[in-house]
Amino acid sequence: MDKKKLLLSLPAVDEIVKSKVGIEWLRKYPRVYVIRAIREIIQRKRKTILGGKYEMDDPSDLLQEIERIIEKLSGFNLQPVINATGVVIHTNLGRSVLSEEIMKRVSMIAGGYSNLEYDIDKGERGKRYSHVQGLLREITGAEDGIIVNNNAAAVFISLTALAKGREVIVSRGELVEIGGSFRIPDVMASSGAILKEVGTTNKTHAYDYERAVTDNTALMLKVHQSNFRMIGFTEALSIEEMAALGKKYSVPVMFDLGSGCLIDLKPYGIHIEPTVQEMIKAGADIVTFSGDKLLGGPQAGVIVGKRELIEKIAKNPLMRAVRVDKMTLAAFEATLRYYLDEGVAKERIPTVSMLLQDPEKIKEKAKKIARMLKAGLGVDGAQTAGINVIEDVSQSGGGALAEVPLRTFVVSVMPSAISINELEVRLRLGRPHVIARIRDAALLLDARTVKTEEIGPLVQAVRAAMN
Ligand SMILES: *Cc1c(COP(=O)(O)O)cnc(C)c1O
């Protein structure tokens, strides 16, 4: 057939839209995507015809191609994934997971009107932050507390409210970069505070801080070295020592703690960072931390400390720009409530319970996954032989937790028919999306971060990917 005839044989956009399938699509998908997909496929066909490479295909193939594009265009971008990496606080996979109970609170508050900024007792305007103030005081022992959008915002607004145009003393060993674009010197510069660095990379002494204090000193800042460690010939001031200096010179001491650990995890072999309570007790005037790292709540930044300072921060005009919404407040209040009883927090907050999971329980889950996988793969000995449960270490999380190896159990999969990289890609692109680790010649599925109800879908996804 000549090109002209072939071109004429292509259906018109309108023709497809008005056909039975077209009408069906319009019922299911947004019109813009239906039209765009039809145009795209027809255009593609036209190009191949003009390039002389066209082969007549079945009209139903054409429609299938169009439907694939429509589905791709109209699908959700933000998708759930199964986290089989074993990294509990995985920033790229959404950090902390909220429990079903908490999601119920969120949906109740977000799906209706609430007393977000209304004082029910008095029948007048109320304060957004009052809903978590009491809990923050109770749990951390601080005089007062507020929450903002994330810890970066907490550090930023504290600096701008307490130290704009004045000096903030920081040890050279603590001018850290947390990842993404959070770097202490840059945050300091944009807050309007003046960075006064003291000491050296590895050692900073009390006299370094003392020599730097002037009439223009607004704060002494300590920053937790979340994602790196210094070993060897090092020295830094403890928060107690800094608080003593702060008292001596009447300069408030602020600590950017990072994770916001509210439970002492040392008995579990997790020596990451001191708890917020310990730091308040040790004399920090302001402590900032994330809501969705170790605390296990929604994305938020928490500022606790001396009432007078918190009030000053709360009054800053930028507070409006970093304020949290009702969904965050609902989730955060519900998460904090668990901390009123440590046992409850350990059990009901997914981040905490996944971190403290008994390795034997993880082993059971891994064995179940392996057993179900083997059963599904039937009698193919080569495939089932490549599936084993092995002991390993999982990294609990990025940032502060990157350094904490935890004993875990993984299902190691060595596919016989496809390469290990191909298996990883298929799992990642499949439904549900599965994110796994590759090590040497095996794909590892860490059972620590796989929920019990995800085992079935995970097994099906792996089976589908291996065939
Ligand atoms: C994680 C972290 C931050 C940033 O917190 P976000 O909640 O991600 O904004 C700031 N400082 C320290 C020490 C951290 O560990």
Side-chain angles (χ1 to χ4, degrees):
M1 250 199 271
D2 63 43
K3 286 181 185 176
K4 212 169 186 177
K5 259 199 186 140
L6 278 168
L7 284 175
L8 283 173
S9 78
L10 285 175
V13 175
D14 213 38
E15 208 177 303
I16 302 181
V17 173
K18 287 189 178 137
S19 71
K20 207 169 147 228
V21 237
I23 291 165
E24 187 61 32
W25 286 341
L26 288 181
R27 248 205 301 271
K28 270 168 61 187
Y29 307 107
R31 188 181 179 86
V32 273
Y33 295 146
V34 173
I35 306 280
R36 190 171 303 160
I38 298 173
R39 284 219 177 102
E40 192 177 317
I41 292 298
I42 293 180
Q43 200 100 43
R44 231 186 264 172
K45 295 283 164 202
R46 187 165 288 147
K47 260 193 200 146
T48 47
I49 293 171
L50 292 172
K53 282 183 246 149
Y54 189 72
E55 285 164 33
M56 274 305 268
D57 44 20
D58 195 326
S60 72
D61 285 351
L62 185 84
L63 295 179
Q64 260 180 24
E65 269 181 75
I66 295 172
E67 183 149 17
R68 262 202 299 275
I69 304 262
I70 300 176
E71 273 173 0
K72 205 166 172 192
L73 287 172
S74 43
F76 278 96
N77 295 312
L78 196 52
Q79 289 279 354
V81 306
I82 292 180
N83 175 7
T85 65
V87 179
V88 177
I89 304 169
H90 197 306
T91 297
N92 300 145
L93 301 185
R95 284 199 187 159
S96 282
V97 172
L98 302 178
S99 70
E100 240 162 75
E101 268 175 300
I102 289 188
M103 289 318 298
K104 269 197 206 128
R105 291 290 315 170
V106 174
S107 106
M108 187 165 50
I109 296 300
Y113 295 106
S114 62
N115 61 338
L116 180 65
E117 288 189 355
Y118 185 74
D119 187 326
I120 290 180
D121 292 337
K122 294 186 185 145
E124 58 189 43
R125 201 195 141 95
K127 282 196 175 142
R128 178 178 293 252
Y129 302 103
S130 63
H131 306 294
V132 293
Q133 223 166 8
L135 282 166
L136 283 175
R137 272 189 223 137
E138 189 77 48
I139 293 159
T140 67
E143 286 177 12
D144 206 351
I146 41 170
I147 75 167
V148 293
N149 201 22
N150 53 28
N151 189 33
V155 174
F156 178 81
I157 195 160
S158 301
L159 289 174
T160 205
L162 305 177
K164 191 172 183 175
R166 300 177 63 205
E167 287 174 356
V168 178
I169 308 175
V170 190
S171 158
R172 288 196 169 90
E174 294 169 10
L175 295 173
V176 304
E177 171 173 320
I178 302 295
S181 50
F182 187 89
R183 310 171 94 197
I184 291 294
D186 298 347
V187 173
M188 190 82 75
S190 37
S191 76
I194 302 159
L195 172 62
K196 179 101 180 193
E197 39 182 292
V198 296
T200 61
T201 304
N202 55 326
K203 280 204 172 206
T204 303
H205 305 276
Y207 60 75
D208 290 317
Y209 288 92
E210 291 195 78
R211 283 179 196 159
V213 175
T214 67
D215 289 345
N216 200 28
T217 304
L219 280 177
M220 286 190 227
L221 173 67
K222 186 171 178 64
V223 184
H224 190 251
Q225 296 166 337
S226 289
N227 47 7
F228 75 107
R229 296 285 173 270
M230 292 204 301
I231 51 164
F233 191 59
T234 63
E235 197 169 323
L237 258 61
S238 69
I239 203 75
E240 284 90 348
E241 292 166 312
M242 282 185 70
L245 285 182
K247 269 218 180 82
K248 185 169 168 190
Y249 295 97
S250 299
V251 174
V253 172
M254 169 170 156
F255 191 5
D256 177 18
L257 191 50
S259 269
C261 186
L262 296 174
I263 293 177
D264 185 8
L265 298 175
K266 285 193 267 317
Y268 300 89
I270 304 176
H271 302 262
I272 329 167
E273 56 178 53
T275 62
V276 177
Q277 297 91 310
E278 284 173 300
M279 292 302 93
I280 290 293
K281 219 172 173 179
D285 298 294
I286 289 285
V287 179
T288 61
F289 51 96
S290 292
D292 56 352
K293 289 184 182 168
L294 266 177
L295 198 148
Q299 181 194 299
V302 186
I303 312 170
V304 293
K306 294 274 152 62
R307 177 162 305 125
E308 178 201 347
L309 301 176
I310 297 288
E311 275 171 6
K312 206 165 168 190
I313 296 167
K315 281 198 194 110
N316 189 278
L318 271 173
M319 197 61 195
R320 176 64 185 254
V322 294
R323 80 177 184 186
V324 287
D325 74 318
K326 58 188 174 188
M327 289 189 268
T328 302
L329 265 174
F332 193 69
E333 184 191 359
T335 307
L336 276 184
R337 268 173 198 280
Y338 289 144
Y339 281 102
L340 293 171
D341 182 333
E342 204 175 285
V344 172
K346 286 176 188 161
E347 213 168 275
R348 306 242 194 116
I349 299 174
T351 298
V352 182
S353 72
M354 277 191 271
L355 278 174
L356 303 184
Q357 231 172 135
D358 177 0
E360 289 308 309
K361 286 258 165 66
I362 304 176
K363 189 178 184 177
E364 270 170 41
K365 263 198 289 181
K367 276 183 160 171
K368 188 172 175 191
I369 296 169
R371 201 169 50 236
M372 285 169 67
L373 256 179
K374 284 184 184 177
L377 291 169
V379 288
D380 184 343
Q383 285 209 324
T384 48
I387 295 167
N388 296 292
V389 172
I390 55 172
E391 190 174 331
D392 199 31
V393 275
S394 42
Q395 237 80 61
S396 43
L401 299 164
E403 298 288 307
V404 186
L406 298 170
R407 186 167 163 249
T408 195
F409 286 88
V410 301
V411 180
S412 153
V413 182
M414 280 186 273
S416 53
I418 54 171
S419 76
I420 200 77
N421 290 315
E422 175 65 22
L423 180 61
E424 187 274 334
V425 172
R426 286 191 193 177
L427 281 174
R428 179 155 44 82
L429 299 181
R431 292 296 160 93
H433 303 287
V434 175
I435 313 298
R437 278 191 278 151
I438 287 182
R439 195 180 54 210
D440 304 328
L443 180 113
L444 305 182
L445 303 165
D446 193 325
R448 177 185 296 278
T449 42
V450 177
K451 293 186 213 165
T452 313
E453 62 268 29
E454 284 173 340
I455 292 179
L458 169 67
V459 167
Q460 282 212 322
V462 179
R463 264 190 230 153
M466 284 176 80
N467 285 321

PDB file of all heavy atoms in Angstrom, residues 22 24 73 91 124 128 150 164 219 330 348 355 419:
ATOM      1  N   GLY A  22     -14.472   4.857  22.839  1.00  0.00           N
ATOM      2  CA  GLY A  22     -14.218   6.262  23.149  1.00  0.00           C
ATOM      3  C   GLY A  22     -15.180   6.781  24.207  1.00  0.00           C
ATOM      4  O   GLY A  22     -14.770   7.431  25.183  1.00  0.00           O
ATOM      5  N   GLU A  24     -16.798   5.006  26.322  1.00  0.00           N
ATOM      6  CA  GLU A  24     -16.457   4.282  27.563  1.00  0.00           C
ATOM      7  C   GLU A  24     -15.291   4.988  28.282  1.00  0.00           C
ATOM      8  O   GLU A  24     -15.339   5.217  29.488  1.00  0.00           O
ATOM      9  CB  GLU A  24     -16.080   2.837  27.181  1.00  0.00           C
ATOM     10  CG  GLU A  24     -15.851   1.910  28.344  1.00  0.00           C
ATOM     11  CD  GLU A  24     -17.101   1.744  29.225  1.00  0.00           C
ATOM     12  OE1 GLU A  24     -18.239   1.814  28.701  1.00  0.00           O
ATOM     13  OE2 GLU A  24     -16.909   1.567  30.429  1.00  0.00           O
ATOM     14  N   LEU A  73      -1.430   8.581  31.836  1.00  0.00           N
ATOM     15  CA  LEU A  73      -1.664  10.013  32.052  1.00  0.00           C
ATOM     16  C   LEU A  73      -2.569  10.277  33.244  1.00  0.00           C
ATOM     17  O   LEU A  73      -2.359  11.213  33.998  1.00  0.00           O
ATOM     18  CB  LEU A  73      -2.294  10.647  30.801  1.00  0.00           C
ATOM     19  CG  LEU A  73      -1.395  10.856  29.584  1.00  0.00           C
ATOM     20  CD1 LEU A  73      -2.238  11.299  28.388  1.00  0.00           C
ATOM     21  CD2 LEU A  73      -0.331  11.900  29.878  1.00  0.00           C
ATOM     22  N   THR A  91      13.748   8.773  54.165  1.00  0.00           N
ATOM     23  CA  THR A  91      13.258  10.086  53.747  1.00  0.00           C
ATOM     24  C   THR A  91      12.635  10.035  52.353  1.00  0.00           C
ATOM     25  O   THR A  91      11.591  10.630  52.106  1.00  0.00           O
ATOM     26  CB  THR A  91      14.386  11.126  53.817  1.00  0.00           C
ATOM     27  OG1 THR A  91      14.778  11.237  55.190  1.00  0.00           O
ATOM     28  CG2 THR A  91      13.922  12.490  53.347  1.00  0.00           C
ATOM     29  N   GLU A 124     -15.096  31.727  71.758  1.00  0.00           N
ATOM     30  CA  GLU A 124     -14.396  32.791  71.028  1.00  0.00           C
ATOM     31  C   GLU A 124     -13.169  32.233  70.303  1.00  0.00           C
ATOM     32  O   GLU A 124     -12.847  31.046  70.428  1.00  0.00           O
ATOM     33  CB  GLU A 124     -13.969  33.906  71.990  1.00  0.00           C
ATOM     34  CG  GLU A 124     -13.072  33.403  73.110  1.00  0.00           C
ATOM     35  CD  GLU A 124     -12.810  34.453  74.190  1.00  0.00           C
ATOM     36  OE1 GLU A 124     -13.758  35.169  74.594  1.00  0.00           O
ATOM     37  OE2 GLU A 124     -11.657  34.544  74.619  1.00  0.00           O
ATOM     38  N   ARG A 128      -4.411  27.879  67.494  1.00  0.00           N
ATOM     39  CA  ARG A 128      -4.076  26.678  66.769  1.00  0.00           C
ATOM     40  C   ARG A 128      -3.105  25.782  67.550  1.00  0.00           C
ATOM     41  O   ARG A 128      -3.225  24.565  67.549  1.00  0.00           O
ATOM     42  CB  ARG A 128      -3.436  27.127  65.448  1.00  0.00           C
ATOM     43  CG  ARG A 128      -2.954  26.073  64.516  1.00  0.00           C
ATOM     44  CD  ARG A 128      -2.421  26.736  63.265  1.00  0.00           C
ATOM     45  NE  ARG A 128      -3.498  27.373  62.517  1.00  0.00           N
ATOM     46  CZ  ARG A 128      -3.993  26.919  61.362  1.00  0.00           C
ATOM     47  NH1 ARG A 128      -3.490  25.844  60.822  1.00  0.00           N
ATOM     48  NH2 ARG A 128      -4.967  27.550  60.763  1.00  0.00           N
ATOM     49  N   ASN A 150       8.310  21.863  59.563  1.00  0.00           N
ATOM     50  CA  ASN A 150       9.341  20.817  59.670  1.00  0.00           C
ATOM     51  C   ASN A 150      10.491  21.365  60.520  1.00  0.00           C
ATOM     52  O   ASN A 150      10.451  22.527  60.934  1.00  0.00           O
ATOM     53  CB  ASN A 150       9.847  20.348  58.293  1.00  0.00           C
ATOM     54  CG  ASN A 150      10.294  21.505  57.427  1.00  0.00           C
ATOM     55  OD1 ASN A 150      10.717  22.542  57.912  1.00  0.00           O
ATOM     56  ND2 ASN A 150      10.199  21.336  56.128  1.00  0.00           N
ATOM     57  N   LYS A 164      17.995  37.687  64.812  1.00  0.00           N
ATOM     58  CA  LYS A 164      18.167  38.451  63.571  1.00  0.00           C
ATOM     59  C   LYS A 164      19.036  39.688  63.820  1.00  0.00           C
ATOM     60  O   LYS A 164      18.795  40.445  64.764  1.00  0.00           O
ATOM     61  CB  LYS A 164      16.800  38.884  63.056  1.00  0.00           C
ATOM     62  CG  LYS A 164      16.863  39.437  61.653  1.00  0.00           C
ATOM     63  CD  LYS A 164      15.473  39.663  61.116  1.00  0.00           C
ATOM     64  CE  LYS A 164      15.549  40.152  59.683  1.00  0.00           C
ATOM     65  NZ  LYS A 164      14.217  40.267  59.110  1.00  0.00           N
ATOM     66  N   LEU A 219      22.623  34.115  70.810  1.00  0.00           N
ATOM     67  CA  LEU A 219      22.429  32.690  71.099  1.00  0.00           C
ATOM     68  C   LEU A 219      23.740  31.940  71.043  1.00  0.00           C
ATOM     69  O   LEU A 219      24.674  32.341  70.336  1.00  0.00           O
ATOM     70  CB  LEU A 219      21.546  32.051  70.023  1.00  0.00           C
ATOM     71  CG  LEU A 219      20.033  32.155  69.999  1.00  0.00           C
ATOM     72  CD1 LEU A 219      19.526  31.459  68.740  1.00  0.00           C
ATOM     73  CD2 LEU A 219      19.411  31.523  71.228  1.00  0.00           C
ATOM     74  N   ALA A 330      -3.772  17.154  63.864  1.00  0.00           N
ATOM     75  CA  ALA A 330      -4.544  15.991  64.315  1.00  0.00           C
ATOM     76  C   ALA A 330      -3.618  14.789  64.489  1.00  0.00           C
ATOM     77  O   ALA A 330      -3.668  14.080  65.498  1.00  0.00           O
ATOM     78  CB  ALA A 330      -5.643  15.669  63.304  1.00  0.00           C
ATOM     79  N   ARG A 348       2.422   1.134  69.643  1.00  0.00           N
ATOM     80  CA  ARG A 348       1.462   1.663  68.664  1.00  0.00           C
ATOM     81  C   ARG A 348       2.044   2.615  67.635  1.00  0.00           C
ATOM     82  O   ARG A 348       1.365   2.953  66.676  1.00  0.00           O
ATOM     83  CB  ARG A 348       0.336   2.393  69.391  1.00  0.00           C
ATOM     84  CG  ARG A 348      -0.314   1.540  70.440  1.00  0.00           C
ATOM     85  CD  ARG A 348      -1.774   1.316  70.096  1.00  0.00           C
ATOM     86  NE  ARG A 348      -2.459   0.794  71.256  1.00  0.00           N
ATOM     87  CZ  ARG A 348      -3.435   1.436  71.892  1.00  0.00           C
ATOM     88  NH1 ARG A 348      -3.851   2.614  71.459  1.00  0.00           N
ATOM     89  NH2 ARG A 348      -4.014   0.899  72.925  1.00  0.00           N
ATOM     90  N   LEU A 355      11.473  -0.230  64.764  1.00  0.00           N
ATOM     91  CA  LEU A 355      12.861  -0.135  65.223  1.00  0.00           C
ATOM     92  C   LEU A 355      13.150  -1.145  66.321  1.00  0.00           C
ATOM     93  O   LEU A 355      14.230  -1.726  66.378  1.00  0.00           O
ATOM     94  CB  LEU A 355      13.146   1.272  65.771  1.00  0.00           C
ATOM     95  CG  LEU A 355      13.473   2.339  64.766  1.00  0.00           C
ATOM     96  CD1 LEU A 355      13.573   3.691  65.458  1.00  0.00           C
ATOM     97  CD2 LEU A 355      14.803   2.022  64.085  1.00  0.00           C
ATOM     98  N   SER A 419      18.136 -11.387  35.133  1.00  0.00           N
ATOM     99  CA  SER A 419      19.237 -10.855  35.933  1.00  0.00           C
ATOM    100  C   SER A 419      18.685 -10.200  37.198  1.00  0.00           C
ATOM    101  O   SER A 419      17.508  -9.867  37.287  1.00  0.00           O
ATOM    102  CB  SER A 419      20.019  -9.826  35.124  1.00  0.00           C
ATOM    103  OG  SER A 419      19.285  -8.624  35.068  1.00  0.00           O
TER     104      SER A 419
END
